[in-house]
Amino acid sequence: MVSEYSVTIRKSVHLVFRMVHNIVKYYTYGENMRFCEQLNIYIDSLGVTHKELAKASGLSAATISRYCSGEREPGAGSRQLSQLADGLSSLASARDTDGMDVRTITDVLTASLSDSAVIDYGAFVSNLNMLMKSLDIRVSELARGIYSDPSYVSKILSGSRKPGNVTSFINEVSTYITNKFSDSGNLSSLAQIIDHDGASAPSPSEVRDALVVWLGSGVSARQDDPIPKFLSSVDSFDLGEYLTSVRFDELKVPPAMPHLPTRKVYTGIDKMMESELDFMKTTVLSRSMDDVTLYSDMPMEEMAADPEFPKKYLFGLALMLKKGLRINFIHDINRPFNEMMLGLENYIPMYMTGQISPYYLPSPNNGVFNHLLKVSGAAALEGNAVNGSHGEGRYVLYRSKEDVAHYRMRAESLLAKAKPLMDIFDASRSSGYNAVLGRILTNTDLRFICSSLPLYFLNRTSFEEVLADIDLPAEQANRLRRYYDRARSRMLTHIEEGSIRLILPDVSKAGYDASPVRLSFADQFIDIDYKLPYDTFHRYRAELMQLAEQYPGFIFDPVPSPLFNNINITIAGDKMVIVSKEKSPTIHFVIYHSRMIRAFQDFIPFEMTK
């Protein structure tokens, strides 16, 4: 009679043999293994029955049987796949089997799923492209992060090539992106982009698993382009109406200085908000007219939760501008693109005053600490906090001459490391803007998206007719002639050597009165609302068509209706973008940041292209 001990020994030897056999099989077939084969390896290695796995996972025995035979597969990220991984992991834990945790099992089983059964490949490519654009991830960066060739990744993103195993590729991409955003402390932003409804402070593994599901879900992402919204805000903004609505003219700078010590320490989020307001009060109430430098990469969620703080903060900024101070604003742009553009959109009223110079730091912080540095001629506010522990942050307001002088030097050093996010030119900086106009035609690829026609696209005869019609003072007329001569010469030279594409409304006669085409005088900051009669516009249109026939480098692209009423956009290759507002006020935003330039390059709606 065979002893119970001998039976146990034989079972153990048999189990070891099956495990070795399955390991050899796994390393022989690798990624080409089907889902049913991989599941059977797990079942054999654990020495369990279909019924035992069904009980442990909460799935029916019939479902397990279909999975094992290859008749059916669960979906990637599905509840069934999660239950299956949980069941296998709990069985492995009961048998003290290492290396079979839920995460590992889920990854291995997901990688073995057939692509056609679980992934809409077109939606995957679309979602991945949108995600990379939002997060400002370059192809070369992604390829390096997943140990792949950039040209191979580029072909996948263009849809011209498909990975050998799409699910494996999704897992690698999701792991890389999650790790990247875990390091920078922006997991919540990533979770928001992929519409993850988990905790407000999700874990990296939670976001990573949600990203795997999202990329392979077959549901195309919402691609809300923030550029049109930003431009619409600029287009419709009227500085006069805004100043009236906030009663800017009625703002009074209080005559008395606040009673504050020369050094005051603040701890915690509530005190941080108090420190910001105390800094503003000290700055506004001092006699100093020195420039102000503002930098903070502190998260705004906690402060925005107090409905009164944003109002008080914007009021403090308005008082500084009312006093006549110029502000150097160093923005934190190391965040998803939509968030960055929303932040800039909120600052449009301040930008329109022409008193703010926006900057950014080209390198993100290390993701461990958040920092704050705000310096004026009368005060300095400095502080930091560990990312995610802002309630323990510490902030110090300095008012002594020695301390303020020290922190002004630090602010100057910070500005030296910063790059202009954009230059903002109003009439007081017209000479600087003329220098910019001299540079844009050195680019080989120029694109104009116009609601009004720049003067230098008119021939000489038409330009002189306009000049006679508007009847400017002699000095202003001569200045406009000099501008026209320079710009026209540069434009003609450029279309001989490079290319210019002019996108201009071509409204039908029936709708022209409601949406007439104007001439643009914004380059010279001349406030003239010059609406072209339909017949005159039709003649200018014929001139543009003739120019396009004469010069292959000039493309005239008429569109059926204007995109905007008061702005023109100039895209100068990958060097800069100029957003020119025609009136209320006349102002030009010259954008240098590569991420924003790429977004503008992608902005033109498909119906505008030939």
Side-chain angles (χ1 to χ4, degrees):
M1 185 175 180
V2 180
S3 69
E4 184 178 342
Y5 178 76
S6 299
V7 172
T8 303
I9 290 292
R10 283 203 301 271
K11 284 184 177 180
S12 298
V13 170
H14 184 59
L15 180 59
V16 170
F17 175 79
R18 281 187 300 181
M19 290 180 70
V20 171
H21 171 75
N22 287 332
I23 291 170
V24 171
K25 185 177 179 182
Y26 176 80
Y27 282 102
T28 301
Y29 295 102
E31 289 187 349
N32 295 321
M33 191 174 296
R34 296 169 59 203
F35 174 81
C36 59
E37 293 171 333
Q38 183 60 66
L39 178 58
N40 282 316
I41 283 179
Y42 279 132
I43 291 172
D44 287 348
S45 297
L46 293 171
V48 299
T49 65
H50 292 182
K51 186 176 181 180
E52 288 174 313
L53 178 56
K55 184 177 180 181
S57 63
L59 299 170
S60 69
T63 298
I64 298 295
S65 179
R66 291 189 183 101
Y67 287 162
C68 289
S69 67
E71 181 184 340
R72 184 179 296 177
E73 291 181 1
S78 66
R79 178 179 55 82
Q80 290 84 355
L81 185 65
S82 178
Q83 287 179 263
L84 197 59
D86 285 339
L88 288 168
S89 179
S90 65
L91 290 169
S93 178
R95 287 161 174 74
D96 294 325
T97 305
D98 294 331
M100 291 186 66
D101 57 279
V102 172
R103 174 72 172 275
T104 301
I105 295 172
T106 301
D107 286 350
V108 172
L109 289 178
T110 301
S112 68
L113 292 167
S114 59
D115 296 337
S116 59
V118 295
I119 294 173
D120 180 333
Y121 188 70
F124 156 68
V125 172
S126 174
N127 286 356
L128 181 55
N129 273 292
M130 189 280 286
L131 189 66
M132 290 180 65
K133 178 180 176 182
S134 255
L135 303 178
D136 195 30
I137 299 174
R138 303 289 186 94
V139 172
S140 57
E141 184 184 358
L142 176 62
R144 187 167 57 250
I146 63 174
Y147 306 102
S148 188
D149 180 66
S151 62
Y152 172 68
V153 174
S154 182
K155 288 175 182 175
I156 291 173
L157 291 168
S158 69
S160 63
R161 185 162 181 178
K162 193 173 183 179
N165 188 313
V166 180
T167 50
S168 237
F169 186 79
I170 288 176
N171 276 297
E172 292 170 3
V173 168
S174 299
T175 298
Y176 164 70
I177 291 177
T178 305
N179 288 341
K180 175 182 172 68
F181 273 77
S182 296
D183 292 343
S184 64
N186 280 320
L187 269 182
S188 295
S189 297
L190 175 57
Q192 186 177 5
I193 289 174
I194 63 176
D195 293 328
H196 176 55
D197 295 328
S200 57
S203 68
S205 61
E206 182 184 351
V207 174
R208 186 260 185 198
D209 292 344
L211 183 54
V212 168
V213 174
W214 182 80
L215 282 172
S217 65
V219 179
S220 294
R222 298 194 309 268
Q223 300 188 48
D224 298 330
D225 189 346
I227 292 294
K229 191 169 184 294
F230 172 78
L231 291 173
S232 294
S233 296
V234 175
D235 185 42
S236 60
F237 183 81
D238 186 302
L239 183 59
E241 290 179 1
Y242 173 77
L243 295 179
T244 300
S245 68
V246 299
R247 300 182 177 179
F248 191 78
D249 290 338
E250 300 174 20
L251 292 181
K252 302 296 182 184
V253 177
M257 286 284 289
H259 181 67
L260 292 171
T262 56
R263 180 178 181 272
K264 184 177 179 181
V265 178
Y266 306 78
T267 303
I269 294 170
D270 290 341
K271 292 297 183 181
M272 180 178 77
M273 292 189 281
E274 182 183 326
S275 74
E276 295 249 27
L277 299 177
D278 284 347
F279 168 80
M280 289 179 165
K281 290 174 188 175
T282 306
T283 298
V284 169
L285 297 175
S286 73
R287 295 180 180 179
S288 173
M289 294 299 294
D290 290 343
D291 289 357
V292 179
T293 298
L294 306 177
Y295 170 74
S296 173
D297 59 22
M298 296 285 178
M300 298 299 293
E301 291 86 355
E302 293 96 337
M303 291 182 283
D306 178 352
E308 292 303 312
F309 176 73
K311 299 175 186 176
K312 293 176 182 177
Y313 183 83
L314 290 175
F315 181 74
L317 281 178
L319 282 175
M320 287 195 284
L321 295 171
K322 176 74 172 181
K323 183 179 176 180
L325 300 177
R326 288 201 62 85
I327 299 175
N328 299 311
F329 214 125
I330 305 176
H331 289 280
D332 174 27
I333 63 167
N334 296 297
R335 58 183 71 221
F337 187 69
N338 285 35
E339 284 186 26
M340 181 183 84
M341 293 304 300
L342 179 61
L344 294 178
E345 183 185 334
N346 290 334
Y347 279 105
I348 285 174
M350 305 299 173
Y351 286 167
M352 290 295 182
T353 65
Q355 292 173 233
I356 291 182
S357 298
Y359 296 86
Y360 71 98
L361 294 175
S363 300
N365 68 26
N366 60 15
V368 177
F369 290 96
N370 293 115
H371 305 85
L372 177 150
L373 179 62
K374 304 195 173 188
V375 184
S376 65
L381 177 63
E382 189 267 343
N384 63 74
V386 174
N387 194 316
S389 300
H390 305 107
E392 301 163 7
R394 186 172 184 269
Y395 315 91
V396 185
L397 179 67
Y398 300 93
R399 295 177 64 240
S400 72
K401 289 183 179 179
E402 294 80 7
D403 286 328
V404 171
H406 168 75
Y407 282 102
R408 282 193 73 81
M409 285 192 296
R410 291 190 65 178
E412 288 167 7
S413 298
L414 191 63
L415 274 174
K417 293 181 178 296
K419 292 186 176 182
L421 181 63
M422 62 180 81
D423 275 332
I424 302 174
F425 296 95
D426 58 8
S428 68
R429 302 185 66 204
S430 59
S431 59
Y433 184 65
N434 283 329
V436 171
L437 292 177
R439 296 202 308 270
I440 64 169
L441 291 176
T442 61
N443 291 275
T444 55
D445 176 29
L446 278 177
R447 201 181 305 167
F448 295 85
I449 306 173
C450 297
S451 59
S452 55
L453 181 63
L455 292 172
Y456 49 82
F457 284 109
L458 302 178
N459 63 32
R460 184 78 202 198
T461 302
S462 296
F463 169 73
E464 289 294 342
E465 287 176 356
V466 170
L467 208 55
D469 189 37
I470 58 180
D471 192 26
L472 290 172
E475 181 183 350
Q476 210 169 31
N478 289 332
R479 176 161 65 90
L480 207 54
R481 282 193 181 93
R482 289 193 297 271
Y483 154 76
Y484 172 84
D485 288 341
R486 289 193 305 269
R488 179 74 177 180
S489 175
R490 288 172 183 152
M491 189 271 292
L492 292 176
T493 300
H494 188 81
I495 58 178
E496 289 179 345
E497 301 172 357
S499 67
I500 291 179
R501 182 182 179 197
L502 173 64
I503 299 166
L504 188 72
D506 186 16
V507 185
S508 66
K509 188 170 184 177
Y512 192 82
D513 290 341
S515 301
V517 175
R518 295 171 167 83
L519 289 180
S520 175
F521 295 85
D523 281 354
Q524 292 302 297
F525 299 93
I526 297 174
D527 188 10
I528 298 176
D529 188 13
Y530 193 97
K531 300 175 184 176
L532 294 172
Y534 180 77
D535 292 341
T536 304
F537 168 69
H538 197 69
R539 177 158 56 87
Y540 292 167
R541 183 186 185 282
E543 290 178 13
L544 294 170
M545 298 291 287
Q546 189 176 18
L547 192 66
E549 292 175 3
Q550 185 179 354
Y551 294 94
F554 178 67
I555 301 169
F556 175 47
D557 195 356
V559 292
S561 61
L563 286 173
F564 306 103
N565 295 317
N566 299 309
I567 58 174
N568 284 351
I569 304 164
T570 304
I571 303 173
D574 59 358
K575 302 298 182 185
M576 69 179 81
V577 170
I578 304 175
V579 178
S580 300
K581 184 169 172 61
E582 301 289 313
K583 60 180 182 177
S584 304
T586 299
I587 199 164
H588 303 272
F589 299 90
V590 183
I591 299 166
Y592 303 108
H593 191 264
S594 59
R595 193 177 181 189
M596 293 181 69
I597 291 172
R598 290 198 302 274
F600 274 95
Q601 288 173 330
D602 295 339
F603 160 65
I604 300 180
F606 67 90
E607 64 267 20
M608 295 171 62
T609 60
K610 291 184 175 180

Short mmCIF file of all heavy atoms in Angstrom, two decimals, residues 131-163:
data_model
loop_
_atom_site.label_atom_id
_atom_site.label_comp_id
_atom_site.label_asym_id
_atom_site.label_seq_id
_atom_site.Cartn_x
_atom_site.Cartn_y
_atom_site.Cartn_z
N LEU A 131 -2.88 62.34 -26.60
CA LEU A 131 -2.23 62.33 -25.29
C LEU A 131 -0.83 62.92 -25.38
O LEU A 131 -0.43 63.73 -24.54
CB LEU A 131 -2.17 60.89 -24.77
CG LEU A 131 -1.72 60.71 -23.33
CD1 LEU A 131 -2.74 61.32 -22.37
CD2 LEU A 131 -1.53 59.23 -23.01
N MET A 132 -0.08 62.55 -26.41
CA MET A 132 1.29 63.06 -26.57
C MET A 132 1.28 64.56 -26.81
O MET A 132 2.14 65.29 -26.31
CB MET A 132 2.00 62.33 -27.69
CG MET A 132 2.32 60.88 -27.35
SD MET A 132 3.16 60.02 -28.68
CE MET A 132 4.72 60.92 -28.75
N LYS A 133 0.31 65.03 -27.56
CA LYS A 133 0.21 66.48 -27.80
C LYS A 133 -0.14 67.22 -26.51
O LYS A 133 0.45 68.25 -26.18
CB LYS A 133 -0.85 66.75 -28.87
CG LYS A 133 -1.06 68.23 -29.17
CD LYS A 133 -2.13 68.42 -30.22
CE LYS A 133 -2.41 69.90 -30.46
NZ LYS A 133 -3.50 70.11 -31.44
N SER A 134 -1.09 66.67 -25.76
CA SER A 134 -1.51 67.31 -24.51
C SER A 134 -0.38 67.37 -23.50
O SER A 134 -0.22 68.36 -22.79
CB SER A 134 -2.65 66.52 -23.90
OG SER A 134 -3.86 67.13 -24.05
N LEU A 135 0.40 66.29 -23.43
CA LEU A 135 1.45 66.18 -22.42
C LEU A 135 2.80 66.67 -22.94
O LEU A 135 3.79 66.64 -22.20
CB LEU A 135 1.58 64.73 -21.95
CG LEU A 135 0.31 64.09 -21.39
CD1 LEU A 135 0.56 62.65 -21.01
CD2 LEU A 135 -0.20 64.88 -20.20
N ASP A 136 2.84 67.09 -24.20
CA ASP A 136 4.07 67.59 -24.81
C ASP A 136 5.18 66.54 -24.75
O ASP A 136 6.30 66.81 -24.34
CB ASP A 136 4.54 68.88 -24.12
CG ASP A 136 5.59 69.62 -24.96
OD1 ASP A 136 5.54 69.51 -26.19
OD2 ASP A 136 6.46 70.29 -24.37
N ILE A 137 4.85 65.34 -25.21
CA ILE A 137 5.83 64.25 -25.27
C ILE A 137 6.26 64.09 -26.73
O ILE A 137 5.43 63.86 -27.61
CB ILE A 137 5.24 62.93 -24.75
CG1 ILE A 137 4.82 63.08 -23.28
CG2 ILE A 137 6.22 61.78 -24.91
CD1 ILE A 137 4.10 61.87 -22.72
N ARG A 138 7.54 64.23 -26.99
CA ARG A 138 8.08 64.08 -28.35
C ARG A 138 8.19 62.59 -28.71
O ARG A 138 8.31 61.73 -27.84
CB ARG A 138 9.46 64.72 -28.45
CG ARG A 138 9.50 66.20 -28.08
CD ARG A 138 8.81 67.05 -29.14
NE ARG A 138 8.95 68.46 -28.88
CZ ARG A 138 9.92 69.22 -29.40
NH1 ARG A 138 10.83 68.69 -30.18
NH2 ARG A 138 9.96 70.52 -29.13
N VAL A 139 8.19 62.33 -30.02
CA VAL A 139 8.33 60.95 -30.50
C VAL A 139 9.64 60.35 -30.00
O VAL A 139 9.69 59.21 -29.52
CB VAL A 139 8.26 60.90 -32.04
CG1 VAL A 139 8.62 59.50 -32.55
CG2 VAL A 139 6.87 61.30 -32.53
N SER A 140 10.73 61.13 -30.11
CA SER A 140 12.04 60.63 -29.69
C SER A 140 12.06 60.31 -28.19
O SER A 140 12.67 59.33 -27.75
CB SER A 140 13.13 61.66 -30.01
OG SER A 140 12.83 62.91 -29.39
N GLU A 141 11.35 61.12 -27.41
CA GLU A 141 11.29 60.91 -25.96
C GLU A 141 10.53 59.63 -25.63
O GLU A 141 10.95 58.83 -24.78
CB GLU A 141 10.62 62.12 -25.31
CG GLU A 141 10.57 62.09 -23.81
CD GLU A 141 9.81 63.26 -23.22
OE1 GLU A 141 9.34 64.12 -23.99
OE2 GLU A 141 9.67 63.31 -21.99
N LEU A 142 9.38 59.42 -26.31
CA LEU A 142 8.61 58.21 -26.08
C LEU A 142 9.40 56.98 -26.50
O LEU A 142 9.43 55.96 -25.79
CB LEU A 142 7.28 58.27 -26.84
CG LEU A 142 6.40 57.03 -26.76
CD1 LEU A 142 5.98 56.76 -25.32
CD2 LEU A 142 5.17 57.16 -27.66
N ALA A 143 10.05 57.05 -27.67
CA ALA A 143 10.82 55.92 -28.17
C ALA A 143 11.94 55.55 -27.19
O ALA A 143 12.16 54.37 -26.88
CB ALA A 143 11.41 56.25 -29.54
N ARG A 144 12.62 56.56 -26.67
CA ARG A 144 13.68 56.32 -25.70
C ARG A 144 13.11 55.70 -24.42
O ARG A 144 13.71 54.81 -23.82
CB ARG A 144 14.40 57.63 -25.39
CG ARG A 144 15.64 57.50 -24.53
CD ARG A 144 16.46 58.77 -24.53
NE ARG A 144 15.69 59.93 -24.07
CZ ARG A 144 15.31 60.93 -24.84
NH1 ARG A 144 15.62 60.92 -26.14
NH2 ARG A 144 14.63 61.95 -24.35
N GLY A 145 11.93 56.16 -24.01
CA GLY A 145 11.33 55.68 -22.77
C GLY A 145 10.87 54.23 -22.84
O GLY A 145 10.81 53.55 -21.81
N ILE A 146 10.52 53.74 -24.05
CA ILE A 146 10.08 52.35 -24.18
C ILE A 146 11.12 51.50 -24.90
O ILE A 146 10.82 50.40 -25.37
CB ILE A 146 8.71 52.26 -24.91
CG1 ILE A 146 8.82 52.79 -26.34
CG2 ILE A 146 7.63 53.01 -24.13
CD1 ILE A 146 7.53 52.60 -27.15
N TYR A 147 12.34 52.06 -25.02
CA TYR A 147 13.47 51.34 -25.62
C TYR A 147 13.14 50.89 -27.04
O TYR A 147 13.28 49.71 -27.39
CB TYR A 147 13.88 50.14 -24.75
CG TYR A 147 14.16 50.52 -23.32
CD1 TYR A 147 13.23 50.28 -22.32
CD2 TYR A 147 15.35 51.15 -22.99
CE1 TYR A 147 13.49 50.65 -20.99
CE2 TYR A 147 15.62 51.53 -21.67
CZ TYR A 147 14.68 51.28 -20.68
OH TYR A 147 14.94 51.65 -19.40
N SER A 148 12.69 51.83 -27.84
CA SER A 148 12.31 51.52 -29.22
C SER A 148 12.97 52.51 -30.18
O SER A 148 13.62 53.47 -29.77
CB SER A 148 10.78 51.57 -29.36
OG SER A 148 10.38 51.10 -30.62
N ASP A 149 12.78 52.27 -31.46
CA ASP A 149 13.37 53.12 -32.50
C ASP A 149 12.41 54.26 -32.82
O ASP A 149 11.21 54.02 -33.04
CB ASP A 149 13.63 52.29 -33.76
CG ASP A 149 14.23 53.12 -34.87
OD1 ASP A 149 15.36 53.59 -34.71
OD2 ASP A 149 13.54 53.32 -35.89
N PRO A 150 12.89 55.52 -32.87
CA PRO A 150 11.99 56.65 -33.12
C PRO A 150 11.23 56.54 -34.44
O PRO A 150 10.05 56.91 -34.50
CB PRO A 150 12.94 57.86 -33.13
CG PRO A 150 14.10 57.44 -32.29
CD PRO A 150 14.26 55.98 -32.54
N SER A 151 11.88 56.05 -35.49
CA SER A 151 11.19 55.95 -36.78
C SER A 151 10.05 54.92 -36.70
O SER A 151 8.99 55.10 -37.31
CB SER A 151 12.17 55.57 -37.88
OG SER A 151 12.75 54.31 -37.64
N TYR A 152 10.26 53.85 -35.94
CA TYR A 152 9.23 52.83 -35.76
C TYR A 152 8.03 53.42 -35.00
O TYR A 152 6.87 53.23 -35.41
CB TYR A 152 9.83 51.66 -34.99
CG TYR A 152 8.85 50.59 -34.54
CD1 TYR A 152 8.20 49.77 -35.45
CD2 TYR A 152 8.60 50.40 -33.19
CE1 TYR A 152 7.31 48.79 -35.04
CE2 TYR A 152 7.72 49.43 -32.75
CZ TYR A 152 7.07 48.62 -33.68
OH TYR A 152 6.19 47.65 -33.26
N VAL A 153 8.32 54.16 -33.92
CA VAL A 153 7.25 54.79 -33.14
C VAL A 153 6.51 55.82 -33.99
O VAL A 153 5.28 55.94 -33.94
CB VAL A 153 7.81 55.43 -31.86
CG1 VAL A 153 6.72 56.22 -31.13
CG2 VAL A 153 8.39 54.37 -30.94
N SER A 154 7.27 56.58 -34.80
CA SER A 154 6.66 57.59 -35.66
C SER A 154 5.69 56.97 -36.65
O SER A 154 4.60 57.51 -36.91
CB SER A 154 7.76 58.36 -36.40
OG SER A 154 7.21 59.36 -37.21
N LYS A 155 6.04 55.82 -37.19
CA LYS A 155 5.15 55.14 -38.15
C LYS A 155 3.89 54.62 -37.46
O LYS A 155 2.81 54.63 -38.04
CB LYS A 155 5.91 53.98 -38.81
CG LYS A 155 6.98 54.44 -39.80
CD LYS A 155 7.78 53.27 -40.33
CE LYS A 155 8.88 53.77 -41.28
NZ LYS A 155 9.76 52.66 -41.72
N ILE A 156 4.04 54.18 -36.22
CA ILE A 156 2.86 53.74 -35.46
C ILE A 156 1.92 54.91 -35.24
O ILE A 156 0.70 54.81 -35.42
CB ILE A 156 3.30 53.12 -34.11
CG1 ILE A 156 4.00 51.79 -34.35
CG2 ILE A 156 2.09 52.93 -33.19
CD1 ILE A 156 4.62 51.18 -33.11
N LEU A 157 2.48 56.08 -34.87
CA LEU A 157 1.66 57.26 -34.59
C LEU A 157 0.99 57.79 -35.86
O LEU A 157 -0.08 58.40 -35.79
CB LEU A 157 2.51 58.35 -33.96
CG LEU A 157 3.00 58.05 -32.53
CD1 LEU A 157 4.07 59.03 -32.11
CD2 LEU A 157 1.83 58.09 -31.55
N SER A 158 1.61 57.58 -37.00
CA SER A 158 1.01 58.03 -38.27
C SER A 158 -0.02 57.04 -38.79
O SER A 158 -0.76 57.33 -39.73
CB SER A 158 2.09 58.25 -39.32
OG SER A 158 2.66 57.00 -39.72
N GLY A 159 -0.06 55.84 -38.19
CA GLY A 159 -1.00 54.81 -38.62
C GLY A 159 -0.50 53.97 -39.78
O GLY A 159 -1.21 53.11 -40.27
N SER A 160 0.76 54.21 -40.20
CA SER A 160 1.28 53.46 -41.34
C SER A 160 1.88 52.11 -40.94
O SER A 160 2.24 51.31 -41.80
CB SER A 160 2.35 54.29 -42.07
OG SER A 160 3.45 54.55 -41.22
N ARG A 161 2.04 51.89 -39.64
CA ARG A 161 2.57 50.62 -39.17
C ARG A 161 1.88 50.22 -37.88
O ARG A 161 1.48 51.09 -37.10
CB ARG A 161 4.08 50.72 -38.95
CG ARG A 161 4.71 49.39 -38.57
CD ARG A 161 6.19 49.38 -38.76
NE ARG A 161 6.77 48.11 -38.40
CZ ARG A 161 8.05 47.80 -38.51
NH1 ARG A 161 8.89 48.71 -38.98
NH2 ARG A 161 8.50 46.62 -38.17
N LYS A 162 1.75 48.92 -37.67
CA LYS A 162 1.09 48.40 -36.48
C LYS A 162 2.08 47.59 -35.67
O LYS A 162 2.85 46.79 -36.23
CB LYS A 162 -0.10 47.53 -36.91
CG LYS A 162 -1.06 47.17 -35.80
CD LYS A 162 -2.28 46.46 -36.40
CE LYS A 162 -3.31 46.14 -35.32
NZ LYS A 162 -4.50 45.49 -35.89
N PRO A 163 2.12 47.77 -34.34
CA PRO A 163 3.02 46.95 -33.52
C PRO A 163 2.70 45.47 -33.66
O PRO A 163 1.54 45.10 -33.89
CB PRO A 163 2.76 47.44 -32.09
CG PRO A 163 2.08 48.75 -32.23
CD PRO A 163 1.33 48.70 -33.52
#
